[in-house]
């Protein structure tokens, strides 16, 4: 029972991270029906921005005295950086192809993913960059169950960001404009909604969430590298498909399920195959329920 509870805690932590990444995929698809395969690189860029900023603050001595304030500032700056990076990518790689075929946009997304990944390699190097160890110590113990402060922090930040996104999308005028653009771009333009701005904003929001997830993964595993966006990005895409691509609630649920399955599969079956379980679920969902758990086009939950 204690082992099960420990794996449950680990699964919630990992699943929340996958949910944040999956939201970027599902939001962009909901707006322009594009699978943005460069999204994993925004996640990696956020992780690198976190390690750069936190290492700088550690060198100045601020990280030792105000660790959580430094983390909040670094995360905010990384999210802003990746938001602007995503808007630039959208302007360069996707906007000129908006009236082209889906295949052309998909090839552009794959090319942008390779470009950004190699850009990270050239600017940051091929070796792992370690995160400062200020957040890796301490926690609670309940028998053999260990809950670290870092896990609590990751879960709380994830919940906070998910609540913020839901409020933004479903309770604000910006969110209403996003949902209107997703349902009918022509009609939304007729009522004064600038679809180009809404699409750029959607890219920015998705990338900022991925950046936050990148920092949390870097803190959780202790380091980042330029390839770190590939596998989590594919798993997050699987989570988005599992929940129902284009469906925000589904992406959150799908991320949690993928995280749980990966952790429990590694714990009860074999850790060597932990990356396989997400893809088994993806294949099964595509075969038995292509629209996902929550459905692909649900009006009250679609972006």
């Amino acid at each position: 029972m204690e082992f099960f509870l420990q794996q449950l805690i680990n699964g919630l932590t990992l699943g929340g991270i996958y949910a944040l990444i999956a939201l970027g995929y599902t939001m962009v698809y909901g707006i322009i029906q594009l699978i943005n395969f460069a999204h994993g690189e925004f996640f990696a860029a956020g992780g690198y921005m976190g390690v750069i900023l936190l290492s700088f603050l550690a060198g100045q001595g601020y990280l030792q005295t105000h660790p959580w304030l430094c983390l909040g500032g670094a995360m905010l700056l990384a999210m802003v950086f990746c938001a602007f990076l995503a808007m630039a990518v959208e302007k360069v790689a996707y906007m000129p192809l908006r009236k082209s075929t889906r295949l052309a946009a998909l090839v552009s997304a794959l090319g942008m993913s390779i470009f950004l990944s190699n850009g990270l390699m050239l600017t940051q190097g091929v070796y792992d960059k370690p995160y400062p160890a200020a957040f890796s110590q301490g926690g609670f113990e309940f028998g053999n169950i260990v809950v670290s402060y870092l896990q609590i922090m990751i879960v709380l930040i994830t919940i906070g960001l998910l609540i913020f996104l839901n409020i933004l999308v479903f309770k604000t005028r910006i969110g209403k404009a996003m949902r209107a653009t997703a349902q009918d771009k022509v009609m939304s333009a007729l009522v004064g909604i600038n679809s180009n701005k809404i699409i750029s904003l959607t890219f920015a929001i998705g990338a900022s969430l991925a950046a936050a997830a990148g920092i949390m993964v870097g803190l959780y595993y202790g380091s980042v590298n330029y390839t770190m966006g590939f596998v989590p990005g594919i798993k997050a895409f699987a989570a988005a498909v599992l929940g129902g691509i284009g469906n925000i609630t589904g992406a959150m649920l799908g991320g949690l399920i993928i995280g749980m399955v990966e952790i429990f599969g590694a714990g009860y079956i074999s850790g060597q195959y932990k990356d396989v379980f997400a893809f088994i679920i993806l294949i099964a969902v595509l075969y038995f329920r292509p629209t996902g758990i929550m459905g692909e086009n649900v009006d009250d939950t679609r972006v």
Side-chain angles (χ1 to χ4, degrees):
M1 186 61 181
E2 289 183 342
F3 180 76
F4 173 83
L5 291 175
Q6 182 67 70
Q7 297 300 93
L8 180 64
I9 294 168
N10 296 337
L12 284 173
T13 304
L14 187 61
I17 291 172
Y18 287 155
L20 287 179
I21 308 172
L23 284 167
Y25 281 109
T26 208
M27 289 176 68
V28 169
Y29 185 87
I31 291 285
I32 59 174
Q33 286 71 57
L34 168 70
I35 302 299
N36 180 22
F37 283 111
H39 188 66
E41 275 54 58
F42 301 144
F43 163 78
Y48 269 108
M49 282 298 296
V51 76
I52 291 170
L53 293 169
L54 289 175
S55 297
F56 171 77
L57 293 170
Q60 300 298 314
Y62 298 121
L63 189 61
Q64 292 75 15
T65 56
H66 302 92
W68 300 109
L69 182 61
C70 290
L71 176 61
M75 185 170 289
L76 181 61
L77 289 174
M79 292 172 72
V80 170
F81 170 80
C82 287
F84 280 105
L85 176 63
M87 287 191 290
V89 167
E90 191 272 330
K91 288 289 188 295
V92 172
Y94 303 141
M95 181 181 285
L97 300 175
R98 197 164 292 161
K99 296 183 180 180
S100 301
T101 64
R102 289 192 181 186
L103 180 60
L106 182 63
V107 171
S108 180
L110 291 171
M112 186 54 65
S113 174
I114 296 170
F115 175 80
L116 292 175
S117 179
N118 281 271
L120 288 173
M121 179 188 69
L122 293 173
T123 57
Q124 303 300 320
V126 297
Y127 300 107
D128 291 4
K129 284 197 171 184
Y131 261 74
F135 307 97
S136 61
Q137 300 173 357
F140 300 99
E141 294 185 13
F142 307 95
N144 293 324
I145 302 172
V146 179
V147 184
S148 68
Y149 293 139
L150 182 58
Q151 285 180 309
I152 296 172
M153 180 271 295
I154 290 174
V155 171
L156 290 177
I157 291 177
T158 300
I159 292 173
L161 289 173
L162 294 179
I163 291 173
F164 170 78
L165 179 65
N166 272 279
I167 293 173
L168 177 68
V169 172
F170 299 118
K171 302 295 182 181
T172 67
R173 293 185 65 183
I174 292 176
K176 187 179 292 185
M178 292 170 65
R179 287 181 282 130
T181 303
Q183 290 176 9
D184 193 324
K185 294 181 181 62
V186 175
M187 289 301 297
S188 62
L190 290 176
V191 296
I193 297 173
N194 188 326
S195 61
N196 288 329
K197 289 184 178 180
I198 293 299
I199 291 170
S200 292
L201 180 62
T202 302
F203 271 86
I205 294 172
S208 63
L209 294 175
I215 291 180
M216 289 189 283
V217 165
L219 290 170
Y220 194 58
Y221 291 105
S223 64
V224 293
N225 62 72
Y226 75 97
T227 63
M228 67 178 284
F230 178 72
V231 173
I234 296 297
K235 291 179 182 177
F237 170 65
V241 173
L242 173 62
I245 191 73
N247 189 304
I248 287 181
T249 306
M252 296 177 188
L253 180 61
L256 290 174
I257 292 174
I258 292 291
M260 290 288 188
V261 169
E262 179 177 333
I263 291 297
F264 279 105
Y268 285 99
I269 301 176
S270 173
Q272 294 180 339
Y273 301 104
K274 68 181 182 66
D275 292 335
V276 176
F277 301 121
F279 303 115
I280 292 175
I281 292 177
L282 176 60
I283 293 170
V285 169
L286 290 175
Y287 186 79
F288 293 106
R289 189 176 173 83
T291 58
I293 296 173
M294 302 293 292
E296 181 179 345
N297 296 319
V298 180
D299 289 341
D300 61 345
T301 55
R302 187 178 175 186
V303 175

